[in-house]
Coordinates of all heavy atoms in Angstrom, one line a residue:
M1 N 98.1 115.1 96.3 CA 97.1 114.8 95.3 C 97.0 113.3 95.1 O 98.0 112.6 95.2 CB 97.5 115.4 94.0 CG 96.7 115.0 92.8 SD 97.2 115.7 91.3 CE 96.9 117.4 91.7
D2 N 95.8 112.8 94.9 CA 95.5 111.4 94.7 C 95.0 111.2 93.3 O 94.0 111.7 92.9 CB 94.4 111.0 95.7 CG 94.0 109.6 95.6 OD1 94.9 108.7 95.2 OD2 92.9 109.3 95.9
L3 N 95.8 110.4 92.5 CA 95.4 110.1 91.2 C 95.4 108.5 91.0 O 96.4 107.9 91.4 CB 96.4 110.6 90.2 CG 96.6 112.1 90.0 CD1 97.7 112.4 89.1 CD2 95.3 112.7 89.5
D4 N 94.3 108.0 90.5 CA 94.3 106.6 90.2 C 94.5 106.5 88.7 O 94.6 107.5 88.0 CB 93.1 105.9 90.7 CG 91.8 106.3 90.0 OD1 91.8 106.9 88.9 OD2 90.7 106.1 90.6
S5 N 94.5 105.3 88.1 CA 94.8 105.1 86.7 C 93.8 105.8 85.8 O 94.1 106.1 84.7 CB 95.0 103.7 86.4 OG 93.8 103.0 86.6
Y6 N 92.6 106.0 86.3 CA 91.6 106.7 85.4 C 91.7 108.2 85.4 O 91.1 108.9 84.7 CB 90.2 106.3 85.9 CG 90.0 104.8 85.8 CD1 90.0 104.0 87.0 CD2 89.8 104.2 84.6 CE1 89.8 102.6 86.9 CE2 89.6 102.8 84.5 CZ 89.6 102.0 85.7 OH 89.5 100.7 85.6
Q7 N 92.6 108.7 86.3 CA 92.7 110.2 86.5 C 94.1 110.7 86.0 O 94.4 111.9 86.1 CB 92.5 110.6 87.9 CG 91.1 110.3 88.5 CD 91.1 110.4 90.0 OE1 92.0 110.0 90.7 NE2 90.0 111.0 90.5
L8 N 94.9 109.8 85.5 CA 96.3 110.2 85.1 C 96.3 111.3 84.0 O 97.2 112.1 83.9 CB 97.1 109.0 84.6 CG 97.5 108.1 85.7 CD1 98.1 106.8 85.2 CD2 98.5 108.8 86.7
A9 N 95.2 111.4 83.2 CA 95.2 112.4 82.2 C 95.1 113.8 82.8 O 95.4 114.8 82.1 CB 93.9 112.2 81.3
E10 N 94.8 113.9 84.0 CA 94.8 115.2 84.7 C 96.2 115.8 84.8 O 96.4 117.0 85.0 CB 94.2 115.1 86.1 CG 92.7 114.9 86.0 CD 92.0 115.0 87.4 OE1 92.5 115.8 88.2 OE2 91.0 114.3 87.6
L11 N 97.2 115.0 84.6 CA 98.6 115.5 84.5 C 98.8 116.5 83.4 O 99.6 117.4 83.5 CB 99.6 114.4 84.4 CG 99.7 113.4 85.6 CD1 100.6 112.2 85.3 CD2 100.3 114.2 86.8
I12 N 98.0 116.4 82.3 CA 98.0 117.3 81.2 C 97.7 118.7 81.7 O 98.4 119.7 81.3 CB 97.0 116.9 80.1 CG1 97.5 115.5 79.5 CG2 96.9 117.9 79.0 CD1 96.5 114.9 78.6
D13 N 96.7 118.8 82.5 CA 96.3 120.2 83.0 C 97.3 120.6 84.1 O 97.5 121.8 84.2 CB 94.9 120.1 83.6 CG 93.8 119.9 82.5 OD1 94.0 120.3 81.4 OD2 92.8 119.2 82.8
I14 N 97.8 119.7 84.9 CA 98.6 120.1 86.0 C 100.0 120.5 85.6 O 100.6 121.4 86.1 CB 98.8 118.9 87.0 CG1 97.4 118.6 87.6 CG2 99.8 119.1 88.1 CD1 97.3 117.2 88.3
Q15 N 100.5 119.9 84.5 CA 101.8 120.2 83.9 C 102.9 120.1 85.0 O 103.5 121.2 85.3 CB 101.8 121.5 83.2 CG 101.0 121.5 81.9 CD 101.6 120.7 80.8 OE1 102.8 120.8 80.5 NE2 100.8 119.8 80.3
P16 N 103.1 119.0 85.6 CA 104.2 118.9 86.7 C 105.5 119.2 86.1 O 105.8 118.9 84.9 CB 104.0 117.5 87.2 CG 103.5 116.7 86.0 CD 102.6 117.7 85.3
D17 N 106.4 119.7 86.9 CA 107.8 119.9 86.5 C 108.5 118.6 86.3 O 108.4 117.7 87.1 CB 108.6 120.7 87.6 CG 108.0 122.1 87.7 OD1 107.4 122.7 86.8 OD2 108.2 122.7 88.8
A18 N 109.3 118.5 85.2 CA 110.1 117.4 84.9 C 111.1 117.2 86.1 O 111.6 118.2 86.6 CB 110.9 117.5 83.6
G19 N 111.3 115.9 86.5 CA 112.2 115.7 87.6 C 111.4 115.6 88.9 O 112.0 115.3 89.9
G20 N 110.1 115.9 88.9 CA 109.3 115.8 90.1 C 109.1 114.3 90.5 O 109.6 113.4 89.8
H21 N 108.5 114.1 91.6 CA 108.3 112.7 92.2 C 106.9 112.3 92.2 O 106.0 113.1 92.5 CB 108.9 112.7 93.6 CG 110.3 113.1 93.7 ND1 111.3 112.2 93.6 CD2 110.9 114.3 93.8 CE1 112.5 112.8 93.6 NE2 112.3 114.1 93.8
F22 N 106.7 111.0 91.8 CA 105.4 110.4 91.9 C 105.5 109.2 92.9 O 106.3 108.3 92.7 CB 105.0 109.9 90.5 CG 103.6 109.3 90.5 CD1 102.5 110.0 90.2 CD2 103.4 107.9 90.8 CE1 101.2 109.5 90.1 CE2 102.1 107.4 90.8 CZ 101.0 108.1 90.4
I23 N 104.7 109.3 94.0 CA 104.8 108.3 95.0 C 103.6 107.4 94.8 O 102.4 107.8 94.9 CB 104.8 108.9 96.4 CG1 106.0 109.8 96.5 CG2 104.8 107.8 97.5 CD1 106.0 110.7 97.7
H24 N 103.9 106.1 94.6 CA 102.8 105.1 94.3 C 102.7 104.3 95.6 O 103.6 103.7 96.1 CB 103.2 104.2 93.2 CG 102.1 103.3 92.8 ND1 102.1 102.0 93.1 CD2 101.0 103.5 92.0 CE1 101.0 101.4 92.6 NE2 100.3 102.3 92.0
S25 N 101.4 104.2 96.1 CA 101.2 103.4 97.3 C 100.0 102.5 97.1 O 98.9 102.9 96.6 CB 100.8 104.4 98.4 OG 100.5 103.7 99.6
M26 N 100.3 101.2 97.3 CA 99.2 100.2 97.2 C 99.7 99.0 98.0 O 100.9 98.8 98.2 CB 98.9 99.8 95.8 CG 100.1 99.1 95.0 SD 99.7 98.8 93.3 CE 98.9 97.2 93.4
S27 N 98.7 98.1 98.4 CA 99.1 97.0 99.2 C 99.5 95.8 98.4 O 100.2 94.9 98.9 CB 97.9 96.7 100.2 OG 96.8 96.4 99.5
E28 N 99.0 95.7 97.2 CA 99.4 94.5 96.4 C 100.6 94.8 95.6 O 100.8 95.9 95.1 CB 98.3 94.2 95.4 CG 96.9 93.9 96.0 CD 96.1 95.2 96.2 OE1 96.4 96.2 95.5 OE2 95.3 95.2 97.1
P29 N 101.5 93.8 95.4 CA 102.7 94.0 94.6 C 102.3 94.1 93.1 O 101.3 93.6 92.7 CB 103.6 92.8 94.9 CG 102.6 91.7 95.3 CD 101.5 92.5 96.0
F30 N 103.2 94.7 92.3 CA 103.0 94.8 90.9 C 103.2 93.4 90.2 O 104.0 92.6 90.6 CB 103.9 95.8 90.2 CG 103.6 97.2 90.3 CD1 104.5 98.1 90.8 CD2 102.3 97.6 90.0 CE1 104.2 99.4 90.8 CE2 101.9 99.0 90.1 CZ 102.9 99.9 90.5
S31 N 102.4 93.2 89.1 CA 102.7 92.1 88.3 C 103.4 92.6 87.1 O 103.2 93.7 86.6 CB 101.3 91.5 87.8 OG 101.5 90.7 86.7
E32 N 104.4 91.8 86.6 CA 105.1 92.3 85.4 C 104.2 92.5 84.2 O 104.6 93.3 83.3 CB 106.2 91.2 85.0 CG 107.3 91.2 86.1 CD 108.1 92.5 86.2 OE1 108.4 93.1 85.1 OE2 108.5 92.8 87.3
E33 N 103.1 91.9 84.1 CA 102.2 92.0 83.0 C 101.0 93.0 83.3 O 100.0 92.9 82.6 CB 101.7 90.7 82.5 CG 102.8 89.8 82.1 CD 102.4 88.4 81.8 OE1 101.2 88.1 81.8 OE2 103.2 87.5 81.6
D34 N 101.1 93.8 84.3 CA 100.0 94.6 84.7 C 99.9 95.8 83.7 O 100.8 96.6 83.6 CB 100.3 95.2 86.1 CG 99.2 96.0 86.7 OD1 98.2 96.3 86.0 OD2 99.3 96.3 87.9
V35 N 98.8 95.8 83.0 CA 98.6 96.9 82.0 C 98.5 98.2 82.6 O 99.0 99.2 82.1 CB 97.3 96.6 81.2 CG1 96.9 97.7 80.2 CG2 97.4 95.3 80.4
E36 N 97.8 98.4 83.8 CA 97.8 99.6 84.5 C 99.1 100.2 84.8 O 99.4 101.4 84.8 CB 96.9 99.6 85.7 CG 95.4 99.4 85.4 CD 94.5 99.6 86.6 OE1 95.0 100.0 87.6 OE2 93.4 99.2 86.5
E37 N 100.0 99.3 85.2 CA 101.4 99.7 85.6 C 102.1 100.3 84.3 O 102.7 101.3 84.4 CB 102.2 98.6 86.1 CG 103.7 99.1 86.4 CD 104.6 97.9 86.7 OE1 104.2 96.8 86.7 OE2 105.8 98.2 87.0
E38 N 101.9 99.6 83.2 CA 102.5 100.1 81.9 C 102.0 101.5 81.6 O 102.7 102.4 81.2 CB 102.3 99.1 80.8 CG 102.9 99.5 79.5 CD 102.7 98.5 78.4 OE1 102.2 97.4 78.7 OE2 103.1 98.8 77.3
V39 N 100.7 101.7 81.7 CA 100.0 103.0 81.4 C 100.6 104.1 82.4 O 101.0 105.2 81.9 CB 98.5 102.9 81.5 CG1 97.9 104.3 81.5 CG2 97.9 102.0 80.5
L40 N 100.7 103.7 83.7 CA 101.2 104.7 84.6 C 102.6 105.1 84.3 O 103.0 106.2 84.3 CB 101.2 104.0 86.0 CG 101.9 104.8 87.1 CD1 101.3 106.2 87.4 CD2 101.9 103.9 88.4
R41 N 103.5 104.1 84.0 CA 104.9 104.3 83.7 C 105.0 105.2 82.4 O 105.9 106.0 82.3 CB 105.7 103.1 83.6 CG 105.7 102.4 85.0 CD 107.0 101.7 85.2 NE 107.0 101.0 86.5 CZ 107.8 101.2 87.5 NH1 108.7 102.2 87.3 NH2 107.7 100.6 88.6
N42 N 104.2 105.0 81.5 CA 104.2 105.8 80.2 C 103.9 107.2 80.5 O 104.5 108.2 80.0 CB 103.2 105.2 79.2 CG 103.8 104.0 78.5 OD1 105.0 103.7 78.5 ND2 102.9 103.2 78.0
W43 N 102.8 107.5 81.4 CA 102.5 108.9 81.8 C 103.7 109.5 82.5 O 104.0 110.7 82.2 CB 101.3 108.9 82.7 CG 100.0 108.8 81.9 CD1 99.1 107.7 81.8 CD2 99.3 109.9 81.2 NE1 98.0 108.1 81.0 CE2 98.1 109.4 80.7 CE3 99.7 111.2 81.0 CZ2 97.3 110.2 79.9 CZ3 98.8 112.0 80.3 CH2 97.6 111.5 79.7
L44 N 104.3 108.8 83.4 CA 105.4 109.4 84.2 C 106.6 109.7 83.3 O 107.2 110.7 83.5 CB 105.8 108.4 85.3 CG 104.7 108.1 86.4 CD1 105.2 107.2 87.5 CD2 104.1 109.4 86.9
K45 N 106.9 108.8 82.4 CA 108.0 109.0 81.4 C 107.7 110.2 80.6 O 108.6 111.0 80.4 CB 108.2 107.7 80.6 CG 109.3 107.9 79.6 CD 109.5 106.6 78.8 CE 110.6 106.7 77.7 NZ 110.7 105.6 76.9
H46 N 106.5 110.4 80.1 CA 106.1 111.5 79.3 C 106.3 112.8 80.0 O 106.8 113.8 79.4 CB 104.6 111.4 78.9 CG 104.1 112.6 78.1 ND1 104.4 112.8 76.8 CD2 103.4 113.7 78.5 CE1 103.9 113.9 76.4 NE2 103.3 114.5 77.4
F47 N 106.0 112.9 81.3 CA 106.2 114.1 82.1 C 107.5 114.2 82.8 O 107.8 115.1 83.5 CB 105.0 114.3 83.1 CG 103.8 114.7 82.4 CD1 102.8 113.8 82.1 CD2 103.6 116.0 82.0 CE1 101.6 114.2 81.5 CE2 102.4 116.4 81.3 CZ 101.4 115.5 81.1
G48 N 108.4 113.2 82.7 CA 109.7 113.2 83.3 C 109.6 113.1 84.8 O 110.5 113.6 85.5
L49 N 108.6 112.3 85.3 CA 108.5 112.2 86.8 C 109.2 110.9 87.3 O 109.2 109.9 86.6 CB 107.0 112.1 87.2 CG 106.2 113.3 86.8 CD1 104.7 113.1 87.1 CD2 106.7 114.6 87.5
K50 N 109.8 111.0 88.5 CA 110.5 109.9 89.1 C 109.4 109.1 89.9 O 108.6 109.6 90.6 CB 111.6 110.4 90.0 CG 112.6 111.2 89.3 CD 113.6 111.8 90.3 CE 114.6 112.6 89.6 NZ 115.5 113.4 90.5
F51 N 109.5 107.7 89.7 CA 108.6 106.8 90.3 C 109.1 106.3 91.6 O 110.3 105.9 91.7 CB 108.3 105.6 89.3 CG 107.4 104.6 89.9 CD1 106.0 104.7 89.8 CD2 107.9 103.5 90.6 CE1 105.2 103.8 90.3 CE2 107.0 102.5 91.1 CZ 105.7 102.7 90.9
H52 N 108.3 106.3 92.7 CA 108.7 105.7 94.0 C 107.6 104.8 94.4 O 106.4 105.2 94.5 CB 108.9 106.8 95.0 CG 109.9 107.8 94.7 ND1 111.3 107.6 94.8 CD2 109.8 109.0 94.1 CE1 111.9 108.7 94.4 NE2 111.1 109.6 94.0
Q53 N 107.9 103.6 94.7 CA 106.9 102.6 95.4 C 107.4 102.5 96.8 O 108.4 101.9 97.1 CB 107.0 101.3 94.7 CG 106.2 100.2 95.4 CD 104.8 100.0 94.9 OE1 104.5 100.3 93.8 NE2 103.9 99.6 95.8
L54 N 106.7 103.1 97.7 CA 107.1 103.2 99.1 C 106.3 102.4 100.1 O 106.6 102.4 101.3 CB 107.2 104.7 99.5 CG 108.2 105.5 98.8 CD1 108.1 107.0 99.2 CD2 109.6 105.0 99.0
H55 N 105.2 101.9 99.6 CA 104.3 101.3 100.6 C 103.8 99.9 100.0 O 103.2 99.8 99.0 CB 103.0 102.2 100.7 CG 102.0 101.6 101.6 ND1 100.9 101.0 101.1 CD2 101.8 101.6 102.9 CE1 100.1 100.6 102.1 NE2 100.6 101.0 103.2
A56 N 104.2 98.8 100.6 CA 103.8 97.5 100.2 C 102.7 97.0 101.1 O 101.8 96.4 100.7 CB 105.0 96.5 100.2
S57 N 102.9 97.2 102.4 CA 101.8 96.9 103.4 C 102.3 97.5 104.7 O 103.5 97.6 104.9 CB 101.6 95.4 103.5 OG 102.7 94.8 104.0
G58 N 101.4 98.0 105.5 CA 101.8 98.6 106.8 C 102.2 100.0 106.6 O 101.9 100.7 105.6
H59 N 103.0 100.5 107.5 CA 103.5 101.9 107.4 C 105.0 102.0 107.2 O 105.7 101.0 107.4 CB 103.2 102.6 108.8 CG 101.7 102.6 109.1 ND1 100.9 103.5 108.6 CD2 101.0 101.8 109.9 CE1 99.7 103.3 109.0 NE2 99.7 102.3 109.8
L60 N 105.4 103.2 106.7 CA 106.8 103.4 106.6 C 107.5 103.5 108.0 O 106.9 104.0 108.9 CB 107.1 104.7 105.9 CG 106.6 104.9 104.4 CD1 106.8 106.3 104.0 CD2 107.4 103.9 103.6
N61 N 108.7 103.0 108.1 CA 109.4 103.2 109.4 C 110.1 104.5 109.3 O 110.1 105.2 108.3 CB 110.4 102.0 109.6 CG 111.5 101.9 108.6 OD1 112.0 102.9 108.2 ND2 111.9 100.7 108.3
R62 N 110.7 104.9 110.5 CA 111.4 106.2 110.6 C 112.4 106.5 109.5 O 112.5 107.5 108.9 CB 112.0 106.4 112.0 CG 112.6 107.8 112.2 CD 113.2 107.9 113.6 NE 112.2 107.6 114.6 CZ 111.6 108.6 115.2 NH1 111.7 109.9 114.9 NH2 110.7 108.3 116.2
D63 N 113.3 105.5 109.3 CA 114.3 105.6 108.3 C 113.7 105.8 106.9 O 114.2 106.6 106.1 CB 115.3 104.4 108.2 CG 116.1 104.3 109.5 OD1 116.3 105.4 110.2 OD2 116.6 103.2 109.8
Q64 N 112.7 105.1 106.5 CA 112.0 105.3 105.2 C 111.4 106.6 105.1 O 111.5 107.3 104.0 CB 111.0 104.2 105.0 CG 111.6 102.8 104.9 CD 110.5 101.7 104.9 OE1 109.6 101.8 105.7 NE2 110.7 100.7 104.1
I65 N 110.8 107.1 106.2 CA 110.2 108.5 106.1 C 111.3 109.5 105.9 O 111.1 110.4 105.1 CB 109.4 108.8 107.4 CG1 108.1 107.9 107.4 CG2 109.0 110.2 107.5 CD1 107.4 107.9 108.7
N66 N 112.4 109.4 106.7 CA 113.5 110.4 106.5 C 114.1 110.3 105.1 O 114.3 111.4 104.5 CB 114.6 110.0 107.5 CG 114.2 110.5 108.9 OD1 113.5 111.4 109.1 ND2 114.8 109.8 109.9
K67 N 114.2 109.1 104.5 CA 114.7 109.0 103.1 C 113.8 109.7 102.2 O 114.2 110.4 101.3 CB 114.9 107.5 102.8 CG 115.5 107.4 101.4 CD 115.8 105.9 101.1 CE 116.3 105.6 99.7 NZ 116.3 106.6 98.7
L68 N 112.5 109.4 102.3 CA 111.5 110.0 101.5 C 111.5 111.6 101.5 O 111.6 112.2 100.5 CB 110.1 109.6 101.9 CG 108.9 110.3 101.2 CD1 108.9 110.1 99.7 CD2 107.6 109.9 101.9
V69 N 111.6 112.1 102.7 CA 111.6 113.6 102.9 C 112.9 114.1 102.2 O 112.8 115.1 101.5 CB 111.5 114.0 104.4 CG1 111.8 115.4 104.6 CG2 110.2 113.6 104.9
N70 N 114.0 113.5 102.4 CA 115.3 113.9 101.8 C 115.3 113.8 100.3 O 115.7 114.7 99.6 CB 116.5 113.2 102.4 CG 116.7 113.6 103.8 OD1 116.5 114.8 104.2 ND2 117.1 112.7 104.7
D71 N 114.7 112.6 99.8 CA 114.8 112.4 98.3 C 113.9 113.4 97.6 O 114.2 113.8 96.5 CB 114.3 111.0 98.0 CG 115.3 109.9 98.4 OD1 116.4 110.3 98.7 OD2 115.0 108.7 98.3
V72 N 112.8 113.7 98.1 CA 111.9 114.7 97.4 C 112.1 116.1 97.8 O 111.4 117.0 97.2 CB 110.4 114.3 97.6 CG1 110.1 112.9 97.1 CG2 109.9 114.5 99.0
N73 N 113.1 116.3 98.7 CA 113.4 117.7 99.1 C 112.2 118.5 99.5 O 111.9 119.6 99.1 CB 114.1 118.4 97.9 CG 114.9 119.7 98.4 OD1 115.2 119.8 99.6 ND2 115.1 120.6 97.5
A74 N 111.4 117.8 100.4 CA 110.2 118.4 100.9 C 110.4 119.7 101.6 O 111.3 119.8 102.4 CB 109.4 117.4 101.7
K75 N 109.5 120.7 101.4 CA 109.6 121.9 102.1 C 108.7 121.9 103.3 O 108.8 122.6 104.3 CB 109.1 123.1 101.2 CG 110.1 123.3 100.0 CD 109.6 124.4 99.1 CE 110.5 124.7 98.0 NZ 110.8 123.6 97.1
A76 N 107.7 121.0 103.3 CA 106.8 120.8 104.5 C 106.3 119.3 104.5 O 106.4 118.6 103.5 CB 105.6 121.7 104.3
G77 N 105.9 118.9 105.6 CA 105.4 117.5 105.7 C 104.3 117.5 106.8 O 104.3 118.3 107.7
F78 N 103.4 116.5 106.7 CA 102.4 116.3 107.7 C 102.3 114.9 108.1 O 102.3 114.0 107.2 CB 101.0 116.8 107.2 CG 101.0 118.3 106.9 CD1 101.4 118.8 105.7 CD2 100.7 119.2 107.9 CE1 101.4 120.1 105.4 CE2 100.7 120.5 107.7 CZ 101.0 121.0 106.4
S79 N 102.2 114.6 109.3 CA 102.1 113.2 109.8 C 100.6 113.1 110.2 O 100.0 113.8 111.0 CB 102.9 113.0 111.0 OG 102.6 111.8 111.6
C80 N 99.9 112.1 109.5 CA 98.5 111.9 109.7 C 98.3 110.5 110.2 O 98.8 109.5 109.6 CB 97.7 112.1 108.5 SG 97.7 113.8 107.9
S81 N 97.6 110.3 111.3 CA 97.3 109.0 111.8 C 95.8 109.0 112.2 O 95.4 109.6 113.2 CB 98.2 108.6 112.9 OG 97.8 107.4 113.4
H82 N 95.0 108.4 111.4 CA 93.5 108.4 111.7 C 92.9 109.8 111.7 O 92.8 110.4 110.7 CB 93.2 107.5 112.9 CG 93.7 106.1 112.7 ND1 93.1 105.2 111.9 CD2 94.7 105.5 113.3 CE1 93.8 104.1 112.0 NE2 94.7 104.2 112.8
R83 N 92.7 110.3 112.9 CA 91.9 111.5 113.1 C 92.9 112.7 113.3 O 92.4 113.9 113.3 CB 90.9 111.4 114.2 CG 89.8 110.4 113.8 CD 88.9 110.3 115.0 NE 88.0 109.2 114.8 CZ 88.2 108.0 115.2 NH1 89.2 107.7 116.0 NH2 87.3 107.0 115.0
K84 N 94.1 112.5 113.6 CA 95.0 113.6 114.0 C 96.1 113.8 112.9 O 96.7 112.9 112.4 CB 95.7 113.3 115.3 CG 94.8 113.3 116.5 CD 95.7 113.3 117.8 CE 95.7 112.0 118.4 NZ 96.5 112.0 119.7
C85 N 96.4 115.0 112.6 CA 97.5 115.4 111.7 C 98.3 116.4 112.4 O 97.8 117.3 113.1 CB 97.0 116.0 110.4 SG 96.2 114.8 109.3
R86 N 99.6 116.4 112.2 CA 100.5 117.4 112.7 C 101.6 117.7 111.8 O 102.0 116.9 111.0 CB 101.0 117.0 114.1 CG 101.9 115.8 114.1 CD 102.4 115.4 115.5 NE 103.1 114.2 115.5 CZ 104.4 114.1 115.3 NH1 105.1 115.2 115.1 NH2 105.0 113.0 115.3
S87 N 102.0 119.0 111.8 CA 103.1 119.4 110.9 C 104.4 118.8 111.5 O 104.6 118.7 112.7 CB 103.2 120.9 111.0 OG 104.3 121.3 110.2
V88 N 105.3 118.3 110.6 CA 106.6 117.7 111.0 C 107.7 118.5 110.3 O 107.6 119.1 109.3 CB 106.7 116.2 110.6 CG1 105.7 115.5 111.5 CG2 106.4 116.0 109.2

């Protein structure tokens, strides 16, 4: 699911399980005074979601992908590169 800061209220309807994972991906680093970051962190705290910033620029390497899959205890995964996706 893709949520930006204007769509975070959809978490109310989704009711994610506490302890779930929220993966944040953006190319620019956070600023300590970023109001949107504070709003995001408040929503995640409210729902008990774990925050992960896994993408600063470029792609994850193999070790980072393995760590992500293990950390979130993924039951399935898909590798997508431009026009092709495959189950992993």
